[in-house]
Amino acid sequence: KMSEELEQLLSQLTQPDNAVIQQVTAQLKQAFKDPAVVPALLTLCPQVRQSAAVVLRMRVKKHWKKISPDHRESLKAMVLQAFQQETEHAVRHSLAQLSAVMVKHETPDQWPALLSLLNQSTKSNDPQDRQVGLLLLSKVVESNPEPFEPHYQQLLQLFGTVLQDLENPTALYYCMHTLTAIINLMRSLIPRIIVALKHLIKADEDQASECMEVFDELMETEVTIIVPYIAEIVHFCLEVSPWKQFFHVYGILNSLIDCVCVCVCVIDTMALHMPPEKLFGHLMPLIQACLASENPYERKGGLMCMAVLAEGCADHIRTKMLSSMLQTVCQSLSDSNQVVRSAGLFALGQFSEHLQPEVSKYHAELMPLLLGYMSSLYQAKMLHVTKAFYALENFLENLDENIQPYLPTLMETMLSALSNSDNLRLKELTVSAIGAIANAAKEMLVPYFPPVIESLKGFLTDTKDEMRALQIQALDTLSVLARTVGKDIFRPLAAECVQLGLNLSDVVDDPDLRRCTFSLFSAVSTVSPECLTPHLTAITTTMLMSLKSTEGVMQFVLLDDDEDEEEGTGDIVLEGESEEDGPDVAGFSVENAYIDEKEDACDALGELAFNIGVAFQPFLESSFEQVYALHDVSLHDVTHTVSLSAGLHKLLGVVLPCFLEAVRQERERQVVMAVLEAMNGVIKSCQGEALQTPGRLTEICHAIRDVLKKKTVCQDGDADDEDDEQEAEYDAMLQEFAGEGIPLLASAVPAETFLPYLNDLLPLIMNKAKSSCTVADRSFSVGTIGETLHSLVGVAGGRGVAGRLSNRLLPVLVAGVKDSDAEVRNNSVYALGTLAEAAGPIVASDYPTMLSLFSNLLSKESDRRVIDNLCAALCRMILSNVAGVPLEQVFPVLVAQLPLKEDLEENKTVYRCLVFLYSHSPVLNAMLVLLQSMSQHHPQEFEAAMMSLPVEERTRITSAFSQS
């Protein structure tokens, strides 16, 4: 059926000739108008077969929609058949590219024969078959990785096997090409990738260099995957680098500039731990050289290095380099190369995340650039689009009311993307950006609320698997909207949102989705708690099951070198099993999704327990799996107090034991932090109600003590492979969360009841106030002491207990007032004030020491927050023991420092003191002193206030001034 001319040309190909091939190729487009010609062309000589595949790919790419469904199916079958029968690599390669273009139009699930071929060939015992299968896999995944997400777990298992096939460099090459496109769920493969690259270098250095981009992709999108392997990757790069003879700082920086992906990772670590002046002195000349290079990848490297400096060197950049570095980033957004523009967007996102609030002051310069960028972004590659949204979100989050002039353009762009794009990833990014906009705009978003809600509801009712990521983001953004747009606006939708969350939880088994529904329920509870009441059984049961679940907890077994790696790996640790029940355990790993789910379950249970405003009566069976609502009454409904108390105690009987067990046994620090925070919230809200169960106060205090002593499972040094400095940072954060519980407990029970536990905990807190401790520890120590003393003010027996503790605490606090760090001084001054307030006349003999200390401090203190707290401390001393304060000397000094400028929360203490003196101190005319100070320090405001008074009152004040 081919034209005579084409037949004649083909007949000349017994001895293939390039000129003839070109003539044939020119005719192929005409030949492809008849679908019956295609199979014939793909059976001719290799050159024609390859040309046929290339031309067909071009036609499929442009005209797929014009091909009838029947011809599409026959074409798919024919291409796979040709691929299986092909023996020439060049033709296979072109056929794989043709398949990749078809996958863009026909998702893998719509092409089961493709999945079957991939599964069969990649698992073949024949090395050649595996190479062919991996070639096809790499091309189709690279072309459109998102539809393969349901198969990622299976693919990663395959890659784990292929990366051990070290004698098959071609298979390694195609495997790592596919990995470059699939960068999720691959933490455990990094060591194997390094080993595979070493072997690939020996076989083909060019291919190995190309495969190094797998690290580049990870650094740009999933940096946490390779963070645990920084040392191994650096060592590998130095090993193969021409700079490996240099191992001092400057030498390492030179080496790493040639390996952008590793350079970024290591410089990030250096920025966190090295003095910024030293690091910048060595690094900036290298970065500037890169930025001035003609090579776009070197310019990208310079920008990426600048970006990762933002976190560790934030203070240095804010104070000395922010303007110039932002100017460089802005210029990069106009670079002719998209690789450079992407790096500029990443840098802007990093700056926006770590250099607040200073970077937001440049919104007038940066927002027009970002808005212009977003308007022409939707034709770009998705990785580039992701960077743009990353920069936009981080910048928007901190704009607050400054977002107003940009809001119309922003929302027009976002709503257009939701309405006009078919790309699910783009919609996911857009929905996330709307959440960031809502956080900044709050009620200003109300005009755009209806179309946003309609889009979100549409996403949440579509249960197809490919919608999962978009649904998760839609739930997150819905939670943000519930908390930001205003109760009156969101309340009419609250019940429907709860039902949407429940429906998704029922039909989808996904930890990320459950996590987002927990957040949604918590957010709705702040707007319309009554709509949750009918569903409390389902909601709380799901949350408690998430906390108790061992899903996602993996047990890794140590194997001898001669054992088959497949045996014993990846065993699930089931509830009730002990370490002795199985083989030797090397360690545990909890998948991030399940960590996040547990964290949000803790947060949500805590928030629902005291924010929902509904009385619960849990009806508990032995498994604690069901929780039922008692009555739809608010916490303030006094007619249901008895029922409320009984129901609340039973709910606490489930929640608090879960919290305490997690503190003791959970291996992940992030989860324990979330648990401690939620438990503190419950104690703060429920007060003594949370501690009525016998032994509960003891259990909580012992849990706090264990954290402070670093004796919980998550603080076991063998539990993680983090470096010592990171462990110390996490432990400090854990101890702060635990320490926050001490003043909460002190305010919840009588002081004498809490004193034995306080005597047990105080030494652990006071030890952190030593001069050899870090600033963070010293601040935490005196801050916790101050808050605990403040709690004693309001409980029975508090004065006596504070008096007994004063001799132990006073030296610590006096030393803190003399500390070189302003925050430590501030917390110490506050603590001395609360000591005076709590102990009252018991510490009257210490007043001269405290007043002298404050006088010396005031003469040289420049930090306004410290001065404000000093004023509040003086007021507390006056209120607690006015006879112990020489008012004629102290009060004028106090008034001269008013009004407070930073710590405005202490205004209530100051005003309470002024009212007290006006009422109870006839010796000192407090009002006159105050008015004279106002007249002296704020003459314009004082004069305006005087002029607003009636003439008679103005005359009385003027007369009083003249007589004083």
Side-chain angles (χ1 to χ4, degrees):
K1 295 182 179 180
M2 291 180 288
S3 67
E4 290 183 2
E5 182 180 5
L6 184 58
E7 283 186 318
Q8 183 180 1
L9 287 168
L10 293 175
S11 68
Q12 301 177 34
L13 293 178
T14 52
Q15 298 295 327
D17 177 89
N18 285 339
V20 175
I21 294 296
Q22 291 175 5
Q23 293 181 55
V24 171
T25 302
Q27 297 296 321
L28 287 176
K29 292 183 180 179
Q30 293 298 320
F32 275 114
K33 291 182 178 179
D34 185 348
V37 175
V38 177
L41 293 175
L42 292 176
T43 62
L44 298 176
C45 69
Q47 289 87 346
V48 172
R49 296 200 301 273
Q50 183 179 8
S51 296
V54 171
V55 174
L56 183 56
R57 173 165 56 87
M58 294 169 62
R59 291 189 66 82
V60 166
K61 185 175 182 179
K62 294 182 179 180
H63 305 295
W64 180 257
K65 293 182 179 180
K66 298 180 181 179
I67 303 175
S68 68
D70 290 342
H71 286 156
R72 289 181 190 177
E73 293 303 316
S74 62
L75 182 60
K76 289 192 292 187
M78 179 271 298
V79 169
L80 292 184
Q81 181 182 2
F83 187 86
Q84 290 176 278
Q85 295 174 349
E86 186 55 63
T87 57
E88 294 289 333
H89 173 73
V91 184
R92 279 201 201 108
H93 192 272
S94 295
L95 287 168
Q97 290 179 317
L98 169 58
S99 301
V101 171
M102 294 168 71
V103 164
K104 280 195 171 184
H105 300 285
E106 296 282 313
T107 64
D109 292 335
Q110 294 174 311
W111 197 356
L114 172 66
L115 293 177
S116 177
L117 174 59
L118 289 172
N119 187 57
Q120 178 183 349
S121 59
T122 56
K123 295 181 179 178
S124 171
N125 292 327
D126 186 343
Q128 183 65 25
D129 287 345
R130 294 199 299 275
Q131 288 181 16
V132 172
L134 287 164
L135 164 63
L136 179 60
L137 177 65
S138 69
K139 295 304 176 185
V140 296
V141 172
E142 283 177 3
S143 71
N144 198 13
E146 293 180 12
F148 284 88
E149 286 183 359
H151 309 282
Y152 276 6
Q153 185 171 1
Q154 181 182 358
L155 288 175
L156 289 173
Q157 292 173 352
L158 167 67
F159 298 153
T161 302
V162 174
L163 288 172
Q164 298 177 74
D165 189 7
L166 303 179
E167 302 303 319
N168 193 343
T170 303
L172 295 176
Y173 174 74
Y174 292 129
C175 175
M176 283 187 279
H177 254 291
T178 313
L179 278 171
T180 303
I182 305 175
I183 59 173
N184 293 316
L185 308 176
M186 57 181 301
R187 185 189 301 273
S188 61
L189 299 181
I190 297 296
R192 295 182 185 177
I193 290 177
I194 295 174
V195 174
L197 279 169
K198 290 180 179 179
H199 283 76
L200 187 56
I201 287 171
K202 299 175 184 177
D204 191 318
E205 288 192 2
D206 290 337
Q207 289 185 350
S209 177
E210 187 176 346
C211 287
M212 285 287 290
E213 289 188 11
V214 68
F215 292 132
D216 202 19
E217 294 293 331
L218 287 170
M219 283 306 310
E220 293 182 2
T221 55
E222 293 292 342
V223 67
T224 56
I225 290 177
I226 66 172
V227 165
Y229 302 100
I230 287 176
E232 291 89 340
I233 296 174
V234 172
H235 188 272
F236 164 67
C237 288
L238 290 175
E239 184 180 324
V240 302
S241 166
W243 301 86
K244 60 185 177 184
Q245 66 267 33
F246 298 106
F247 282 91
H248 52 79
V249 170
Y250 190 75
I252 288 178
L253 289 173
N254 272 288
S255 303
L256 296 178
I257 284 292
D258 292 332
C259 299
V260 171
C261 58
V262 184
C263 167
V264 169
C265 200
V266 177
I267 289 176
D268 190 12
T269 303
M270 289 179 171
L272 291 170
H273 302 293
M274 286 181 62
E277 292 80 6
K278 181 178 180 181
L279 180 62
F280 271 71
H282 288 303
L283 188 56
M284 287 311 295
L286 298 173
I287 290 178
Q288 290 165 356
C290 286
L291 294 172
S293 171
E294 294 294 323
N295 186 329
Y297 287 93
E298 290 187 7
R299 298 201 297 278
K300 169 188 175 179
L303 288 164
M304 295 293 286
C305 292
M306 283 176 55
V308 298
L309 291 170
E311 181 179 6
C313 301
D315 290 339
H316 182 81
I317 295 174
R318 283 194 199 100
T319 56
K320 299 182 179 180
M321 307 191 69
L322 181 57
S323 179
S324 61
M325 291 179 76
L326 277 176
Q327 184 178 6
T328 300
V329 170
C330 290
Q331 291 172 351
S332 73
L333 298 182
S334 302
D335 196 281
S336 60
N337 193 291
Q338 182 170 286
V339 166
V340 181
R341 297 197 300 273
S342 278
L345 289 167
F346 175 71
L348 180 55
Q350 286 285 99
F351 289 0
S352 300
E353 184 172 354
H354 300 296
L355 302 179
Q356 295 294 347
E358 286 79 4
V359 74
S360 291
K361 298 175 183 177
Y362 293 84
H363 63 85
E365 293 83 4
L366 292 170
M367 279 303 297
L369 284 174
L370 284 172
L371 290 174
Y373 212 83
M374 298 300 294
S375 66
S376 59
L377 199 59
Y378 299 116
Q379 301 301 318
K381 291 182 178 180
M382 190 49 60
L383 182 61
H384 186 61
V385 173
T386 303
K387 298 277 183 56
F389 273 96
Y390 168 70
L392 181 70
E393 279 198 45
N394 279 339
F395 195 77
L396 291 176
E397 287 277 8
N398 297 280
L399 277 187
D400 296 328
E401 67 276 2
N402 290 322
I403 198 175
Q404 185 174 11
Y406 315 111
L407 193 56
T409 305
L410 274 171
M411 290 308 300
E412 180 182 353
T413 304
M414 298 300 121
L415 293 173
S416 173
L418 291 181
S419 302
N420 301 326
S421 174
D422 294 327
N423 188 303
L424 295 181
R425 175 59 175 158
L426 179 57
K427 289 187 176 183
E428 179 190 346
L429 294 170
T430 302
V431 170
S432 179
I434 290 173
I437 293 170
N439 272 325
K442 298 181 174 58
E443 290 86 353
M444 289 185 285
L445 196 70
V446 170
Y448 311 96
F449 185 67
V452 169
I453 284 294
E454 287 306 309
S455 293
L456 297 184
K457 286 161 61 176
F459 302 149
L460 294 175
T461 53
D462 189 336
T463 57
K464 293 193 291 289
D465 287 344
E466 57 265 30
M467 294 290 293
R468 192 73 62 244
L470 179 53
Q471 287 174 337
I472 289 169
Q473 187 55 63
L475 286 168
D476 262 345
T477 297
L478 197 56
S479 300
V480 173
L481 292 171
R483 296 180 186 273
T484 55
V485 298
K487 293 183 178 181
D488 292 341
I489 299 298
F490 197 88
R491 188 177 289 113
L493 296 165
E496 185 179 3
C497 290
V498 172
Q499 194 60 58
L500 285 170
L502 289 169
N503 291 345
L504 282 171
S505 298
D506 288 341
V507 299
V508 179
D509 182 14
D510 183 281
D512 280 324
L513 189 137
R514 286 193 296 270
R515 170 184 63 79
C516 292
T517 59
F518 297 162
S519 297
L520 177 60
F521 297 149
S522 296
V524 171
S525 75
T526 67
V527 175
S528 179
E530 63 277 1
C531 71
L532 290 163
T533 302
H535 310 291
L536 287 174
T537 298
I539 291 172
T540 54
T541 299
T542 304
M543 291 176 180
L544 293 171
M545 289 177 65
S546 294
L547 286 176
K548 296 168 68 174
S549 171
T550 59
E551 190 175 10
V553 181
M554 306 299 293
Q555 184 185 67
F556 296 97
V557 180
L558 286 172
L559 299 173
D560 294 330
D561 292 338
D562 57 351
E563 289 182 325
D564 185 354
E565 185 172 341
E566 292 183 0
E567 295 180 6
T569 58
D571 295 336
I572 300 296
V573 182
L574 298 177
E575 191 169 3
E577 286 186 350
S578 68
E579 193 170 320
E580 298 175 357
D581 294 333
D584 292 337
V585 176
F588 293 87
S589 173
V590 182
E591 296 177 32
N592 286 341
Y594 294 98
I595 294 175
D596 294 341
E597 180 190 2
K598 289 175 183 290
E599 286 184 6
D600 281 21
C602 289
D603 290 342
L605 276 171
E607 187 164 10
L608 291 175
F610 57 85
N611 280 346
I612 194 172
V614 174
F616 294 101
Q617 167 148 18
F619 177 80
L620 303 176
E621 299 180 358
S622 58
S623 64
F624 296 102
E625 290 181 350
Q626 298 293 328
V627 182
Y628 296 95
L630 174 62
H631 294 295
D632 182 14
V633 295
S634 90
L635 289 172
H636 302 289
D637 188 345
V638 296
T639 63
H640 293 84
T641 300
V642 175
S643 296
L644 167 63
S645 181
L648 182 60
H649 289 163
K650 289 186 178 179
L651 176 62
L652 293 171
V654 176
V655 174
L656 289 176
C658 284
F659 287 171
L660 291 167
E661 180 69 9
V663 171
R664 289 190 294 264
Q665 300 299 330
E666 177 59 52
R667 304 189 70 87
E668 292 293 332
R669 289 177 174 88
Q670 298 97 318
V671 176
V672 178
M673 290 179 204
V675 169
L676 288 169
E677 186 176 25
M679 185 165 66
N680 289 342
V682 171
I683 296 170
K684 181 179 180 180
S685 173
C686 301
Q687 291 287 294
E689 293 282 334
L691 305 172
Q692 287 189 7
T693 300
R696 183 61 45 75
L697 177 60
T698 301
E699 291 173 347
I700 295 175
C701 289
H702 286 176
I704 294 173
R705 181 194 62 191
D706 290 345
V707 174
L708 294 175
K709 287 186 173 183
K710 301 183 181 180
K711 289 189 174 182
T712 63
V713 171
C714 74
Q715 293 168 299
D716 183 356
D718 296 329
D720 299 293
D721 59 356
E722 300 164 325
D723 57 48
D724 292 338
E725 292 187 17
Q726 190 172 15
E727 281 194 32
E729 180 182 352
Y730 277 128
D731 282 336
M733 293 171 64
L734 268 175
Q735 292 179 13
E736 288 183 16
F737 278 107
E740 288 173 7
I742 297 174
L744 292 172
L745 292 171
S747 66
V749 295
E752 290 292 340
T753 303
F754 189 57
L755 182 58
Y757 304 102
L758 193 55
N759 283 330
D760 188 30
L761 296 170
L762 265 182
L764 303 175
I765 299 296
M766 293 168 64
N767 281 339
K768 296 181 179 296
K770 296 177 180 177
S771 59
S772 58
C773 294
T774 65
V775 169
D777 279 346
R778 300 200 304 273
S779 176
F780 161 69
S781 174
V782 292
T784 303
I785 291 171
E787 292 296 341
T788 303
L789 289 168
H790 181 68
S791 295
L792 291 176
V793 172
V795 297
R799 174 156 292 185
V801 168
R804 276 183 272 175
L805 296 173
S806 61
N807 289 336
R808 296 164 59 187
L809 298 178
L810 195 61
V812 174
L813 302 180
V814 169
V817 173
K818 300 175 182 179
D819 198 281
S820 59
D821 183 80
E823 184 176 352
V824 178
R825 296 196 301 275
N826 180 72
N827 290 351
S828 300
V829 168
Y830 170 78
L832 281 173
T834 57
L835 174 61
E837 185 178 19
I842 300 175
V843 293
S845 60
D846 297 313
Y847 268 39
T849 300
M850 296 165 65
L851 291 172
S852 174
L853 184 69
F854 288 166
S855 176
N856 290 334
L857 177 63
L858 189 59
S859 66
K860 55 188 177 183
E861 184 58 62
S862 59
D863 189 290
R864 272 306 313 187
R865 183 167 287 272
V866 177
I867 295 172
D868 286 355
N869 268 281
L870 191 152
C871 292
L874 290 173
C875 289
R876 288 188 170 94
M877 294 175 70
I878 293 169
L879 288 165
S880 301
N881 183 25
V882 67
V885 179
L887 291 176
E888 293 82 2
Q889 302 171 33
V890 171
F891 190 75
V893 175
L894 168 63
V895 171
Q897 299 300 327
L898 300 179
L900 303 184
K901 295 180 176 61
E902 290 286 342
D903 197 349
L904 302 183
E905 284 292 313
E906 291 291 5
N907 270 330
K908 58 181 179 292
T909 304
V910 173
Y911 294 146
R912 189 158 53 93
C913 178
L914 295 176
V915 171
F916 170 82
L917 289 174
Y918 182 73
S919 305
H920 296 86
S921 183
V923 176
L924 176 68
N925 194 333
M927 182 60 70
L928 183 58
V929 174
L930 179 61
L931 291 175
Q932 286 176 328
S933 177
M934 289 179 178
S935 174
Q936 179 181 353
H937 294 95
H938 309 281
Q940 293 180 350
E941 292 85 349
F942 181 81
E943 183 64 22
M946 286 283 288
M947 295 304 297
S948 67
L949 296 176
V951 175
E952 182 180 350
E953 293 184 15
R954 287 207 306 269
T955 303
R956 289 176 57 194
I957 294 175
T958 303
S959 174
F961 274 16
S962 63
Q963 295 175 12
S964 63

